[in-house]
Amino acid sequence: MRTLARILDETAPSRVADAVARLDDGSLVVIEAKLPGALAGDREQVRAYVDAYKRLADRVLEGAEVDRPDQLPWLRTVLWGEAMNAPFGEWVGSLGPGRGTAVAIIQALRSTLPEGGRPISAPARRKVPSWDLREGDVVRFYRAVAAMLEGAELPLERIQDVLGLNRTEAAALFGVRRQALEGWERAGVPRERQAKLATIGAIVDLLEARLKADRVPAVVRRPAPAYGERSILEAIAAGDEDLVLDQLRAGFDWASGA
């Protein structure tokens, strides 16, 4: 460890934050600006926050010059994972979203490395974050961050992608307007729509597993006797998603046994 020797040995939180800022490429500004909206449920701001956090953590690891390069993949994963917890710790509460996140990353690195340096001193004026959040907001934030760290698509995005839908068509599946769907993408699908979302997700999983990707959009638009001469999309929009799932399972099981 050479480049980050001062950071790993420094005990004053403000000096640790200053040292990280010298490595920064603009990520701290993005975190400062986007974290409040990310916690409020705006998916695009969650994405911006996670991307900035990952860039900053990677810059820290590059500067750390870890002695064993084979450790870098899991060290990177550990630091990225702190993106979920950093907004709720004392560093963000005391130093603000940007500088506080910088210190949280260094603290995570110190606690992980065998020779991670001395503990960071408690802030002179320790504060807890003052976010105005409910339990559900925190759970939604955790899920969105985890999905983006894994590179996974969020459920609504995946449904649109696999079925070849635009937002207006996707909204029609739930009997809402496009504007409502866009609100769900930012704040999450309402509880009363979760069961339908889960069933549509199961339909998408089945179609994706059993058909070639380029065939799925055509299949879901084709009327069929099994759905009352309606297409799969029309049946789902009419509230018959359970029927669609049952018929698809039966059809694919028959094809497998034939």
Side-chain angles (χ1 to χ4, degrees):
M1 308 285 173
R2 294 186 293 277
T3 305
L4 282 189
R6 284 189 59 195
I7 293 180
L8 294 176
D9 291 333
E10 183 59 71
T11 59
S14 60
R15 293 179 182 174
V16 173
D18 289 341
V20 175
R22 286 194 285 272
L23 293 172
D24 183 33
D25 61 353
S27 297
L28 289 175
V29 173
V30 175
I31 292 171
E32 186 82 27
K34 301 299 183 180
L35 184 53
L39 290 168
D42 188 309
R43 302 286 182 153
E44 289 305 314
Q45 296 199 54
V46 173
R47 191 182 303 279
Y49 162 71
V50 171
D51 288 346
Y53 184 102
K54 288 166 63 177
R55 287 198 306 272
L56 184 62
D58 287 351
R59 290 297 293 269
V60 167
L61 274 177
E62 289 171 7
E65 300 178 5
V66 176
D67 294 331
R68 290 183 54 186
D70 60 298
Q71 294 181 337
L72 282 173
W74 69 263
L75 280 173
R76 177 174 289 109
T77 301
V78 169
L79 291 191
W80 284 5
E82 282 299 305
M84 286 190 285
N85 298 317
F88 310 108
E90 64 179 354
W91 303 121
V92 166
S94 303
L95 302 175
R99 290 170 62 80
T101 298
V103 177
I105 289 173
I106 297 303
Q107 184 179 50
L109 183 62
R110 289 191 187 189
S111 65
T112 304
L113 293 174
E115 299 178 357
R118 294 179 293 173
I120 301 174
S121 301
R125 296 182 179 179
R126 185 178 182 275
K127 298 179 182 178
V128 296
S130 58
W131 310 118
D132 182 17
L133 299 172
R134 297 167 295 177
E135 180 182 359
D137 297 329
V138 177
V139 172
R140 226 174 358 252
F141 175 77
Y142 279 159
R143 287 175 177 167
V145 172
M148 291 173 190
L149 287 174
E150 293 170 1
E153 292 178 293
L154 295 169
L156 287 171
E157 294 174 340
R158 183 163 179 269
I159 288 168
Q160 292 175 71
D161 182 56
V162 174
L163 301 184
L165 307 178
N166 58 38
R167 278 182 171 159
T168 300
E169 292 171 323
L173 294 183
F174 294 91
V176 299
R177 295 181 180 275
R178 171 177 173 161
Q179 291 82 354
L181 190 77
E182 291 173 347
W184 294 359
E185 290 173 346
R186 292 191 298 272
V189 177
R191 182 177 301 176
E192 63 270 18
R193 306 287 183 142
Q194 288 290 336
K196 180 157 189 163
L197 176 66
T199 303
I200 297 174
I203 291 169
V204 167
D205 289 342
L206 191 55
L207 290 169
E208 189 175 40
R210 303 304 295 269
L211 299 175
K212 292 183 179 180
D214 59 356
R215 289 192 58 203
V216 174
V219 167
V220 298
R221 288 167 169 80
R222 184 184 306 139
Y227 316 119
E229 300 301 337
R230 298 171 299 180
S231 69
I232 287 175
L233 296 181
E234 289 170 334
I236 292 173
D240 289 331
E241 59 273 2
D242 290 324
L243 168 67
V244 170
L245 183 57
D246 289 343
Q247 291 293 331
L248 284 173
R249 284 172 173 165
F252 285 131
D253 287 345
W254 179 86
S256 296

